Amino acid sequence: MKKYALLFFLLCTKIAFSQEDAWVYFNAKSNAETYYGSPLQMLSQRALDRRTNQHIALDFKDIPINPTYINQIKGSLGITVKAKSKWLNALHIRGSQANINALKQLSFVDKIDFANKSLNLSGKTAKLFKAKRPSKIKKAKVEFAYGTSENQIKMLNGDALHQQNFTGSGKVIAIMDAGFPGVNTTQPFQRLRDNNQILGGYDFVSRSPDFYTLDSHGTSVLSCIAGYQEDKLVGTAPDASFYLFITEDDNSENPIEESLWVEAAEKADSLGVDIIQTSLGYFEYDNPNYSHTYSDMNGTTAIISKGAEIAFSRGMIVVAAAGNEGGTSEPHIGGPADAQSVIAVGAVASNETKANFSSIGPSFDGRIKPDVMAQGVSAFLSDQNGNIITGNGTSFSSPITAGMIACLWQALPDRTNEEIRQLVLQSADKHIEPDNLYGYGIPDFSLALANGLLMEDSPTDYFVAYPNPTINTVSISFPENFNNGKVVLYSVIGKKVLEQNISKQLESFSLESLSNGVYFYKISSDTFSKTGKIIKN
């Protein structure tokens, strides 16, 4: 009987794995100029404002995939389209090896990458890692009854920001996870619901608008940021707003989940999200041929890591759990924690010692990972029934940190995502001597805020362009040792529209030839450089 059972298992396994996963990449897009001229077809106004504030121009990655390409792939013999990415200009597909290879004959196909790398000629233990401008400092003082969550907030000096009324208000966070049951009904999320802080969500796995379902891991993650039950639980950014996206299929381990994550990140970008929080990590898959190796953890190989890096280039901050593999034979971080710009968060206990399970660095190419640490041992959180419980894992140290980053960015709204990221790393207690166990250490968000305000209060080395907005003429205030240089203006799609030499004798330039709108400028000399934006009314 056992022999027949084994034979049946092997037969089923062979049939299941006869279908291959792959990404088909396209070599072009269509109607780019139309989209550049009408960017609201691609991105919300909030997303465009985030780009403008950080001087990020629209580019080829923002253009949607040509729908004709999608339809032709869908109509191809034996091919199922599982996900799509405009950033990568690619589709995640499933079919037989022969049917997938047949797509190479299509003129618009650039290349095909199989998830099984041995099929390319040229993951995951998705381990829901279970585990001086004083006028900007508001005088209103918030005193939260943190209760049992006090230590995980005060370890990061987060209470200092809360007391200055920096509680995440105005910042939007997208959480990518496995499900959010109970968020729409239980008491710890009542404050979120009453204040309409849940802006929406989507289940990318089931292609369903119902996201208050499936695995409760996302519920617990959200509670670390925004849960609120006085004297029991207070999240690190209780006044932030949220989109809740399901990208993790808890029933299987397949690289499709990386592609769904990227698809959700693109949606987050279009909605104007500021921070992506993800406690998902990818390394091993059900089909071992699809699994990553440590050599893939270089920040540029895994699909999810590529997507996370592009998300950062759009002006968002990605915060990811480092992983819970520290005590295994492969203790290193997985994707997307390996991406260069991702803030990968490891776990410490309440006494600030590293948790044995917390994954370590470096990335395969030798970069420091994790980036920072926060409490992930006996972290206080809510389950789907509204019970306040404790949990272990970088799954919880990551959102605890993400919420504090939202508070910091609220306090420093003019800082770019890279500047906020650097402020967090530079505030950490091991910043001078980082290592691959603790990264840069435990951040001090009060110090990060102080350093950020000092950055803003050091104008002596910079040019100032004024008035802004302007009607026709822009004047320049120069640093003391400036003699001459030039100013270059770009449109929001990155096209150079004006270039002019400037000096202390010629300290203004005209925008009369330009239409009304937003422009990016770069003013530079041999020793100085400044970028910014000018609005012509």
Side-chain angles (χ1 to χ4, degrees):
M1 190 68 178
K2 290 182 179 178
K3 182 190 298 183
Y4 291 117
L6 177 61
L7 181 62
F8 179 73
F9 172 78
L10 293 174
L11 180 61
C12 290
T13 301
K14 184 175 182 181
I15 292 171
F17 289 162
S18 65
Q19 293 283 293
E20 298 291 345
D21 279 56
W23 293 271
V24 54
Y25 293 83
F26 304 127
N27 54 24
K29 288 184 176 179
S30 59
N31 302 318
E33 291 303 321
T34 299
Y35 283 109
Y36 288 146
S38 303
L40 286 172
Q41 294 183 56
M42 306 181 293
L43 302 167
S44 67
Q45 188 60 55
R46 195 178 196 282
L48 294 172
D49 291 344
R50 187 193 64 226
R51 300 281 188 94
T52 299
N53 291 339
Q54 298 186 61
H55 321 306
I56 299 170
L58 301 175
D59 63 22
F60 181 83
K61 291 183 177 68
D62 295 309
I63 307 301
I65 300 174
N66 187 327
T68 302
Y69 300 168
I70 298 175
N71 291 334
Q72 287 197 50
I73 297 298
K74 283 182 175 179
S76 298
L77 179 65
I79 299 298
T80 303
V81 174
K82 305 298 291 183
K84 64 182 185 296
S85 170
K86 67 176 183 178
W87 288 349
L88 301 174
N89 200 19
L91 300 178
H92 185 127
I93 60 174
R94 187 169 294 163
S96 70
Q97 182 181 352
N99 286 337
I100 291 174
N101 277 327
L103 300 178
K104 295 177 182 178
Q105 305 305 314
L106 297 172
S107 62
F108 53 83
V109 170
D110 179 43
K111 66 176 181 176
I112 291 172
D113 280 345
F114 283 90
N116 181 348
K117 299 174 182 64
S118 68
L119 301 180
N120 294 320
L121 300 179
S122 33
K124 77 186 175 188
T125 302
K127 302 220 176 211
L128 296 169
F129 287 143
K130 313 195 183 178
K132 171 179 163 191
R133 288 199 183 175
S135 61
K136 284 194 171 184
I137 304 296
K138 298 182 180 179
K139 293 183 179 179
K141 186 175 181 180
V142 177
E143 291 286 0
F144 286 123
Y146 291 125
T148 53
S149 58
E150 180 176 32
N151 190 75
Q152 62 203 46
I153 294 174
K154 290 190 173 181
M155 179 186 291
L156 304 177
N157 242 339
D159 55 316
L161 269 67
H162 290 174
Q163 288 171 6
Q164 296 175 76
N165 207 30
F166 299 127
T167 53
S169 179
K171 307 311 289 184
V172 179
I173 301 172
I175 298 182
M176 320 294 210
D177 219 286
F180 303 92
V183 172
N184 57 334
T185 57
T186 58
Q187 198 281 330
F189 302 101
Q190 184 68 45
R191 188 172 182 270
L192 269 183
R193 300 193 300 270
D194 289 348
N195 294 330
N196 298 313
Q197 291 168 246
I198 300 173
L199 304 180
Y202 189 71
D203 176 359
F204 285 86
V205 175
S206 304
R207 301 293 177 182
S208 167
D210 181 12
F211 51 90
Y212 294 123
T213 184
L214 300 177
D215 191 275
S216 64
H217 185 266
T219 302
S220 295
V221 166
L222 175 63
S223 74
C224 293
I225 310 176
Y228 188 87
Q229 192 165 346
E230 199 165 293
D231 290 318
K232 291 186 177 180
L233 175 70
V234 177
T236 46
D239 291 322
S241 297
F242 298 87
Y243 287 99
L244 308 179
F245 294 138
I246 299 174
T247 64
E248 160 66 24
D249 185 351
D250 202 40
N251 296 315
S252 67
E253 314 296 337
N254 186 280
I256 181 61
E257 291 153 293
E258 293 191 47
S259 297
L260 295 178
W261 190 98
V262 175
E263 195 172 327
E266 292 177 9
K267 183 65 175 178
D269 173 35
S270 72
L271 291 167
V273 162
D274 301 298
I275 297 166
I276 292 174
Q277 152 58 36
T278 188
S279 288
L280 306 173
Y282 296 86
F283 199 87
E284 296 175 356
Y285 293 109
D286 291 340
N287 183 343
N289 292 323
Y290 294 172
S291 294
H292 292 300
T293 63
Y294 179 41
S295 63
D296 293 334
M297 297 298 104
N298 56 13
T300 60
T301 295
I303 289 290
I304 194 171
S305 302
K306 291 179 182 178
E309 204 62 32
I310 295 172
F312 189 82
S313 76
R314 311 293 95 175
M316 295 180 282
I317 292 175
V318 180
V319 185
N324 299 331
E325 308 306 309
T328 70
S329 59
E330 180 42 86
H332 295 97
I333 45 94
D338 66 316
Q340 180 170 332
S341 299
V342 166
I343 298 177
V345 187
V348 296
S350 59
N351 63 359
E352 303 188 1
T353 59
K354 178 186 174 295
N356 290 332
F357 60 75
S358 188
S359 293
I360 65 172
S363 62
F364 184 75
D365 55 321
R367 288 174 287 110
I368 290 290
K369 288 287 177 175
D371 294 282
V372 294
M373 308 292 277
Q375 185 167 341
V377 176
S378 297
F380 284 87
L381 48 96
S382 172
D383 67 12
Q384 69 184 80
N385 299 314
N387 301 310
I388 306 306
I389 60 174
T390 60
N392 298 329
T394 59
S395 275
F396 310 125
S397 58
S398 179
I400 287 169
T401 304
M404 287 316 313
I405 290 172
C407 298
L408 178 65
W409 214 351
Q410 176 197 357
L412 301 169
D414 297 330
R415 299 296 86 190
T416 67
N417 60 343
E418 176 59 25
E419 288 170 330
I420 293 294
R421 179 178 175 275
Q422 287 300 321
L423 285 168
V424 173
L425 299 187
Q426 290 166 9
S427 76
D429 60 358
K430 293 182 181 292
H431 174 69
I432 301 301
E433 295 183 289
D435 59 41
N436 287 301
L437 296 177
Y438 288 84
Y440 292 89
I442 299 171
D444 179 337
F445 280 88
S446 180
L447 177 61
L449 174 57
N451 288 340
L453 293 173
L454 286 174
M455 285 173 61
E456 292 192 320
D457 286 338
S458 302
T460 55
D461 291 342
Y462 293 101
F463 301 91
V464 177
Y466 65 95
N468 191 9
T470 186
I471 297 176
N472 276 326
T473 302
V474 178
S475 298
I476 308 293
S477 176
F478 301 108
E480 286 186 10
N481 57 345
F482 175 80
N483 292 314
N484 54 68
K486 68 177 180 180
V487 60
V488 181
L489 260 66
Y490 301 89
S491 70
V492 292
I493 63 172
K495 182 179 179 181
K496 185 191 294 186
V497 295
L498 184 149
E499 181 173 345
Q500 183 172 321
N501 293 328
I502 51 174
S503 67
K504 287 189 175 179
Q505 289 72 44
L506 185 63
E507 57 183 22
S508 64
F509 58 93
S510 174
L511 303 184
E512 190 170 357
S513 63
L514 303 180
S515 57
N516 292 348
V518 176
Y519 297 92
F520 300 132
Y521 66 80
K522 181 176 183 179
I523 306 172
S524 58
S525 70
D526 291 340
T527 56
F528 292 97
S529 178
K530 179 178 174 61
T531 59
K533 69 176 185 289
I534 283 286
I535 300 173
K536 180 183 177 183
N537 290 332

